Amino acid sequence: MIFTVAIDGPAAAGKGTISKAVAARFGLAHLDTGLLYRAVGALVLAGADPVVAARTLNPADLEGDHLRTPAVADAASKVAVIPDVRLALVDFQRSFARRDGGAVLDGRDIGTVICPQAEVKLYVTASAERRADRRYQELVGKGLDVTPQGVLDDVRARDARDSGRDTAPLKPAEDAIIIDTSDLSIDEAVERAAAAIAAKWPL
Ligand code: C5P
């Protein structure tokens, strides 16, 4: 069975949580494509060339708590504007999307560029303030030294960079279902996504 669920949206809107939950519920493989860009960003912070890092990325590069820090998120969104970095990551994402058994991919350009033929396209969003607040709680929970204003500034800077770039900018696919999680609980958001998938599920 080939069945792709594309879940796009800005940072900290809830894509990751929703993706994991629906992948488990429907028995689909899951790829967090942000991790690919974070891994390249982390390698660049360690001195690598971004395009070389993207072309030679290997599974071990995708492991580690350091990938979840604000510094790496910022580096990820900087390398993500480089067309050759994006190009180097396309084939892996496309084959994952069309792998037998079905897949959920979450990112910024899955429904628009990586897999426009995805059976289900969701665009998960929320206000910048709600997203920053959630990300702040998450980072504090991990013991990171951050301020609410600093996290909000980072979220806004990343939004501007992700939406404003020329190659594969962040935007909903024309046929995407928009899920605004600003006033939804996690369960409510997951149920909306699950209902959209169930409506397209092959019998
Ligand atoms: O989703 P996450 O916050 O982990 O992504 C980190 C950065 O990677 C994003 O801010 C974005 O610039 C980039 N990214 C992208 N395309 C994707 C996934 C992530 O450009 N499909």
Side-chain angles (χ1 to χ4, degrees), residues 33-34 37-38 68 76-77 80 86 107-110 158 162 165:
T33 65
Y37 293 91
R38 284 173 184 262
R68 293 286 161 208
S77 79
R86 306 198 68 85
R108 302 290 186 289
D109 62 340
I110 309 304
R158 222 140 56 90
D162 289 351
R165 68 185 175 219

Side-chain angles (χ1 to χ4, degrees), residues 30-174:
H30 171 224
L31 178 65
D32 166 6
T33 65
L35 213 48
L36 305 174
Y37 293 91
R38 284 173 184 262
V40 175
L43 290 165
V44 168
L45 289 178
D49 172 81
V51 177
V52 173
R55 287 185 182 149
T56 56
L57 208 59
N58 66 64
D61 297 326
L62 306 179
E63 306 286 336
D65 289 345
H66 69 292
L67 297 177
R68 293 286 161 208
T69 60
V72 169
D74 185 61
S77 79
K78 287 181 180 153
V79 301
V81 306
I82 304 170
D84 281 347
V85 165
R86 306 198 68 85
L87 193 62
L89 302 174
V90 165
D91 286 350
F92 174 71
Q93 295 177 82
R94 287 205 175 131
S95 3
F96 194 97
R98 300 316 262 172
R99 83 213 299 266
D100 191 23
V104 179
L105 285 82
D106 71 281
R108 302 290 186 289
D109 62 340
I110 309 304
T112 50
V113 173
I114 299 298
C115 194
Q117 72 272 48
E119 281 71 16
V120 180
K121 295 180 197 169
L122 305 177
Y123 188 84
V124 178
T125 188
S127 70
E129 289 74 15
R130 292 307 290 265
R131 291 185 287 118
D133 183 51
R134 290 178 194 155
R135 184 51 55 91
Y136 173 74
Q137 307 295 346
E138 182 189 326
L139 294 172
V140 167
K142 286 184 186 163
L144 278 123
D145 182 19
V146 287
T147 63
Q149 188 61 46
V151 175
L152 179 59
D153 290 347
D154 284 353
V155 161
R156 289 207 169 117
R158 222 140 56 90
D159 282 358
R161 218 179 280 133
D162 289 351
S163 307
R165 68 185 175 219
D166 291 335
T167 310
L170 169 66
K171 61 172 185 204
E174 275 176 19

